[in-house]
Amino acid sequence: MNAPLTAVAISCTLKPSPGDSSSDLLASQILAALAGHGVTGEVIRAVDHVISPGVEKDMGGNDAWPGLRRQILDADILVFVTPTWMGQHSSVAQRVLERLDAELSETDARGRLTLLDKVAIAGIVGNEDGAHHIAAILFQSLNDVGYTIPSQSSVYWNGEAMQTVDYKDLDDVPEKVAAATATAARNAAHLARVLREREYPST
């Protein structure tokens, strides 16, 4: 019960490595804030992996999801970060959500959802509006599969509409983004520790 908390950040950028990514940057900043609360973690750029379409935990062939799924299941906190395109989350983010759908039929030895007692927070970046809409979709989807959502746990940046400045182009982290990141990290770490000590009941 005293083991350090862990996190995994899934960056749903459309840009394969090694391209610069605003989503990766925000994911790293959220993990850095979590580290201040004793949480260790890493960023996974989903687009770098073959995530087959489907809603099963293993779609066979060269599907990389089973390995990614194991990292997600092992983490206490999921940091789900997506860019905004046409006011929506990315197609990569949708693919990850669809694969998480398999957890609705996966249970532990006590018959509880595999993702129960785990916490999820969201990060959204884009030079167009849509962050609140995207956060609502992410939180409902992640809650459906068992995640608990902490208070004030979405971190977002909206650049000026129809301009070319991305989050990664900024010289400094905006004050409001830094404050939101600090709050989300603090609340997520707190809730993850509470759930580790007092799990959801099985009946």
Side-chain angles (χ1 to χ4, degrees):
M1 294 294 260
N2 294 322
L5 292 173
T6 60
V8 61
I10 304 293
S11 168
C12 296
T13 176
L14 299 181
K15 299 173 184 174
S17 297
D20 290 337
S21 164
S22 293
S23 297
D24 271 37
L25 176 59
L26 182 59
S28 297
Q29 291 170 346
I30 295 172
L31 286 182
L34 284 167
H37 299 278
V39 183
T40 60
E42 64 175 311
V43 177
I44 296 173
R45 193 181 293 206
V47 75
D48 288 343
H49 304 269
V50 177
I51 302 176
S52 301
V55 292
E56 304 295 333
K57 62 182 181 180
D58 188 346
M59 297 304 297
N62 60 349
D63 185 20
W65 183 253
L68 299 177
R69 175 179 180 266
R70 175 43 52 193
Q71 291 179 266
I72 292 170
L73 292 178
D74 288 343
D76 300 293
I77 300 170
L78 173 65
V79 180
F80 196 112
V81 182
T82 179
T84 306
W85 291 110
M86 301 179 74
Q88 308 294 321
H89 55 287
S90 73
S91 58
V92 175
Q94 184 62 30
R95 177 66 55 85
V96 172
L97 291 177
E98 288 166 351
R99 295 306 301 271
L100 284 170
D101 184 81
E103 304 311 316
L104 285 170
S105 57
E106 296 295 322
T107 57
D108 63 15
R110 288 182 285 162
R112 306 179 321 138
L113 289 176
T114 53
L115 295 173
L116 213 60
D117 305 322
K118 297 181 183 297
V119 170
I121 60 180
I124 302 112
V125 290
N127 50 16
E128 57 182 297
D129 199 6
H132 279 190
H133 165 72
I134 293 170
I137 291 173
L138 297 183
F139 284 153
Q140 183 61 57
S141 299
L142 295 170
N143 185 255
D144 279 348
V145 298
Y147 281 105
T148 300
I149 310 302
S151 174
Q152 295 184 302
S153 56
S154 67
V155 180
Y156 66 89
W157 178 83
N158 286 336
E160 187 177 357
M162 295 182 287
Q163 300 301 312
T164 59
V165 176
D166 291 330
Y167 184 68
K168 60 183 173 56
D169 300 324
L170 303 180
D171 293 329
D172 300 294
V173 178
E175 181 180 347
K176 294 293 186 180
V177 176
T181 300
T183 298
R186 180 174 63 249
N187 292 349
H190 167 74
L191 183 56
R193 286 195 171 90
V194 169
L195 289 175
R196 175 178 285 185
E197 294 173 2
R198 300 196 63 174
E199 297 179 339
Y200 285 106
S202 56
T203 57

